[in-house]
Amino acid sequence: MNKMMAASLLITAASCSAANAAEIAPINVPALQQEGKGVIKALATNLGGELKKAAKAGGLPAAIQVCNTKASPITAQVEADKGWKVSRTSLKLRNASNTPDAWEQAVLEKFAKQAATGANLKKMMFSEVVLDEEGNKTFRMMKAIPVGDNCLACHGSKIKPEVASKLDMLYPEDNARGFKAGDLRGAFSLQKSL
């Protein structure tokens, strides 16, 4: 087991006092991780289904349009159904509205370092319980998204002109190109208030 996966089983409470850390300890992190994986699966299944349907009907430009217009409503529906806040983020963004916050940025950088050493992206996950200034606890979790072969048509280095044109139109500040299969594309980011 690598250090990142081992860390995901621990609750870090560096910013907590000893009393607060004791309050956090009984939280069932493995159960929350399993629940979080279910949220990710729901989002990936719902969004992936819409993308496949659009691609079959109108090709990749149609799928890109669906991603641009339906990803947010699909994500909102999954959040409402599951009771978690969920998003996708990356170090190489396509959509600036997915910019990582400081916690996400730090985790993505850890993921990138692990990926550079050959860690298995499909198993890469990190979670912890964080406290805000008022002492409210939130379970945060990120799961890496590896680039698959099917991702390369929109995220690779050899993108067809009609696909590039649609991406340029919908995402003028797109930095999410030039990936190879197996690269770290980004991560799902989840939060649940405790």
Side-chain angles (χ1 to χ4, degrees):
M1 180 174 350
N2 67 35
K3 291 179 186 176
M4 182 66 73
M5 290 189 314
S8 72
L9 297 176
L10 301 174
I11 301 171
T12 58
S15 62
C16 307
S17 68
N20 286 340
E23 290 176 23
I24 292 172
I27 295 170
N28 188 342
V29 171
L32 286 166
Q33 289 173 335
Q34 277 306 115
E35 188 179 335
K37 287 177 185 178
V39 174
I40 292 168
K41 185 176 181 180
L43 177 58
T45 299
N46 293 344
L47 183 55
E50 288 293 322
L51 292 173
K52 286 178 187 174
K53 189 178 358 173
K56 187 175 182 179
L60 285 176
I64 295 165
Q65 182 71 41
V66 164
C67 198
N68 182 264
T69 58
K70 291 191 177 181
S72 291
I74 289 169
T75 301
Q77 186 60 55
V78 169
E79 289 179 336
D81 292 346
K82 303 292 185 180
W84 287 67
K85 182 179 178 198
V86 60
S87 62
R88 294 169 296 143
T89 190
S90 178
L91 295 172
K92 291 176 67 175
L93 294 168
R94 172 152 287 163
N95 184 344
S97 68
N98 296 332
T99 299
D101 64 21
W103 187 88
E104 292 168 328
Q105 180 77 24
V107 175
L108 285 167
E109 289 170 2
K110 288 178 188 177
F111 283 179
K113 286 178 185 173
Q114 294 249 321
T117 65
N120 186 344
L121 290 171
K122 292 181 180 179
K123 295 182 179 181
M124 195 176 292
M125 184 175 71
F126 180 79
S127 63
E128 70 180 332
V129 175
V130 297
L131 297 178
D132 65 17
E133 293 82 24
E134 290 82 38
N136 299 313
K137 294 177 262 189
T138 301
F139 180 75
R140 296 200 70 176
M141 174 176 148
M142 289 182 75
K143 185 160 184 356
I145 302 171
V147 175
D149 289 331
N150 59 336
C151 303
L152 297 176
C154 295
H155 291 286
S157 55
K158 295 179 182 176
I159 299 173
K160 292 182 179 179
E162 66 272 16
V163 173
S165 176
K166 189 70 166 184
L167 288 170
D168 291 342
M169 182 182 78
L170 295 175
Y171 302 103
E173 296 179 29
D174 180 18
N175 289 310
R177 301 183 199 184
F179 288 100
K180 298 182 304 296
D183 284 349
L184 174 66
R185 168 65 191 98
F188 291 100
S189 181
L190 290 83
Q191 297 183 47
K192 183 172 186 173
S193 297
L194 302 174

